[in-house]
Amino acid sequence: MSWIWFALGSAFFAGLTAILGKLGVAGLNSNLATFIRTVVILLVTSAIISWRHEWQLPKHIAARPFTFLILSGLATGLSWLCYYRALQLAPASWVAPIDKLSVVIAIVLGVVLLGEPLSIKLVAGSLLIVAGVLVLTL
């Protein structure tokens, strides 16, 4: 169940990202701000990989997973560019809830593209997230 701690850490740091990002894009081009953030992430990740001695690549990297990692990186970059531009244009308290619609999008894509099981709990949770976003943004 250690995944829960990582998921909670992700949520905490994502929330912190909104506030720090809002402060960071003040008076700075949002694309440049995204680049600076990306360089920091590269440096931190490189340090962690070095500290854990994880630089060794597998002898064979299958093309399909590698392609999906590249596409995921592109999606992440586009998400960050949009997110920082939105933070420049609107309060973090407006942008962050809309950004969390990504949870609903991930659920829908998981069910449609990955064949993950759909349950009443997933539907109810998704509807509550959408309702929460509407309450916070309207």
Side-chain angles (χ1 to χ4, degrees):
M1 295 273 291
S2 66
W3 68 269
I4 291 176
W5 293 109
F6 286 105
L8 288 171
S10 175
F12 172 77
F13 289 115
L16 195 56
T17 296
I19 302 308
L20 297 174
K22 179 67 177 175
L23 296 169
V25 296
L28 185 65
N29 176 291
S30 63
N31 295 327
L32 180 59
T34 303
F35 176 75
I36 292 168
R37 175 186 177 184
T38 303
V39 169
V40 170
I41 291 168
L42 179 65
L43 293 173
V44 169
T45 307
S46 297
I48 291 169
I49 291 170
S50 295
W51 177 59
R52 294 178 52 120
H53 306 287
E54 296 175 338
W55 281 107
Q56 56 277 11
L57 290 174
K59 291 180 181 161
H60 175 71
I61 300 175
R64 185 168 189 233
F66 192 68
T67 300
F68 282 118
L69 286 174
I70 291 170
L71 292 173
S72 175
L74 289 171
T76 298
L78 292 171
S79 172
W80 291 354
L81 289 167
C82 292
Y83 188 72
Y84 269 47
R85 184 65 179 142
L87 283 175
Q88 258 188 339
L89 300 172
S93 59
W94 295 359
V95 174
I98 293 171
D99 177 65
K100 296 313 170 218
L101 285 174
S102 62
V103 173
V104 176
I105 293 167
I107 290 169
V108 170
L109 292 176
V111 169
V112 172
L113 298 178
L114 302 178
E116 294 178 354
L118 184 63
S119 66
I120 296 296
K121 186 167 70 170
L122 275 179
V123 172
S126 296
L127 291 174
L128 287 169
I129 291 169
V130 170
V133 169
L134 291 174
V135 166
L136 291 170
T137 58
L138 294 180

